[in-house]
Amino acid sequence: MEPHGRLILFTCLHGFLLLCMNTPLESATLPSCNTSGNETDPLAPLDLKKRITQDPLHVMSSGNDSLHFCNWVGVTCNRCTKRVVILMLTAQKLAGSLPKSVGNLSRLTGIDLRNNSFAGEIPQEIGRLRSLRSLNLFRNSFGGKIPSNISHCAQLRALRLAFNELIGSIPNQVSSLVNLYYVSVAANNLTGAIPNWIGNFSYLHTLYLSKNNFRGSIPNELGRLTHLAEFDISLNNLFGIVPSSIYNISSITIFGVAGNQLHGGLPPNVGISLPNLEIFDCGMNNFRGAIPASWSNSSRLQELDCVSVL
């Protein structure tokens, strides 16, 4: 480089260094955390504590004024904003109910209360949780209907309500939750038909509807669930035939339709069209015909129950 060029380069570097030295330090730091709204977040855990009627493990004893609510057992906060993002009290032998104020936790992404003895209704205010991705109330004693306002939880991916005491039909409003990946409402007292709009859940991997009082036929639209792996509608009051399109969902690993009033025959190529099959249960129905010889191609098959095939 010629001397003139080196002089220009030195001048530019010198100017840049002076600019850096005169720049206020705060402009180079990360933006401050936005903690607006966290003043209401403690109310829901406090309300939940008040509604606990049994706590043999004393897990709720951490909920007091001397300890920041983000440090309470079962509460996880965003480290920056101090907003509650997860409420998890799994298998703590708790009994009580879920307060309406849970709807104030606007940044909540997950609720996990599985394997406890919570009762009462699931509050409609759950629909205010627009960031909620997982609702897990598995194996409790929740009653009443599935809240229709849950349709406002547009980010919801996992809905686990199995083994409760829910009644009524699956609300049509749930049809808007097109991002659902996992749905389990098994072992409740749900009635009505299996909604055909479930076939629009293109991401659906797991569908457990067993041990309810669903009636009617199996919707043909379920055959559109091309990513479905676990499918169980056993022990209901379903009649008619299994739509042939469902037998062609190659991703299925668990196939359960036992304990209904279904009829027809099993496709002769079912062992080929369902190459990933591990469990196939169609017993206690009115199926007729031969057991498909194509089962011999099902190298992953671990459990086969077709006891009532005539």
Side-chain angles (χ1 to χ4, degrees), residues 4-55:
H4 180 68
R6 285 198 296 269
L7 178 61
I8 294 176
L9 179 59
F10 176 81
T11 302
C12 291
L13 287 173
H14 184 257
F16 176 75
L17 290 172
L18 287 175
L19 177 63
C20 291
M21 292 174 64
N22 287 282
T23 300
L25 180 61
E26 57 268 23
S27 67
T29 60
L30 294 173
S32 59
C33 294
N34 180 8
T35 59
S36 62
N38 66 358
E39 64 275 2
T40 63
D41 277 18
L43 299 180
L46 280 172
D47 286 348
L48 179 60
K49 181 182 179 180
K50 293 176 183 177
R51 288 172 173 265
I52 296 298
T53 57
Q54 294 181 29
D55 182 12

Side-chain angles (χ1 to χ4, degrees), residues 83-117:
R83 300 295 306 277
V84 179
V85 292
I86 296 175
L87 188 61
M88 178 182 291
L89 292 163
T90 303
Q92 299 293 337
K93 299 183 179 181
L94 295 169
S97 58
L98 196 58
K100 294 180 179 180
S101 57
V102 72
N104 295 331
L105 301 175
S106 58
R107 299 298 175 86
L108 201 64
T109 62
I111 299 177
D112 190 346
L113 303 179
R114 59 186 150 145
N115 295 319
N116 284 290
S117 298

Side-chain angles (χ1 to χ4, degrees), residues 147-281:
S148 58
N149 280 359
I150 202 172
S151 61
H152 297 150
C153 303
Q155 303 301 316
L156 197 64
R157 297 275 287 161
L159 180 62
R160 295 174 168 94
L161 305 178
F163 289 90
N164 280 283
E165 299 172 10
L166 300 172
I167 62 173
S169 59
I170 300 177
N172 283 327
Q173 290 88 339
V174 175
S175 62
S176 64
L177 300 178
V178 295
N179 292 313
L180 281 170
Y181 176 86
Y182 189 110
V183 174
S184 177
V185 295
N188 281 284
N189 298 305
L190 297 174
T191 56
I194 296 176
N196 57 10
W197 41 255
I198 291 179
N200 296 328
F201 295 164
S202 57
Y203 298 107
L204 199 63
H205 173 276
T206 300
L207 180 62
Y208 286 125
L209 305 178
S210 59
K211 298 181 181 180
N212 280 287
N213 296 304
F214 290 118
R215 295 180 177 273
S217 58
I218 303 172
N220 290 320
E221 289 81 358
L222 297 188
R224 300 204 301 258
L225 300 174
T226 56
H227 294 97
L228 192 65
E230 300 178 16
F231 173 66
D232 193 353
I233 57 172
S234 302
L235 300 173
N236 280 288
N237 296 300
L238 302 170
F239 58 80
I241 64 171
V242 178
S244 59
S245 56
I246 296 179
Y247 289 117
N248 291 320
I249 302 176
S250 61
S251 54
I252 287 182
T253 60
I254 297 175
F255 188 103
V257 297
N260 285 288
Q261 303 170 42
L262 303 171
H263 65 267
L266 300 178
N269 68 333
V270 64
I272 299 173
S273 61
L274 299 177
N276 296 298
L277 198 62
E278 298 175 4
I279 297 174
F280 189 95
D281 189 358

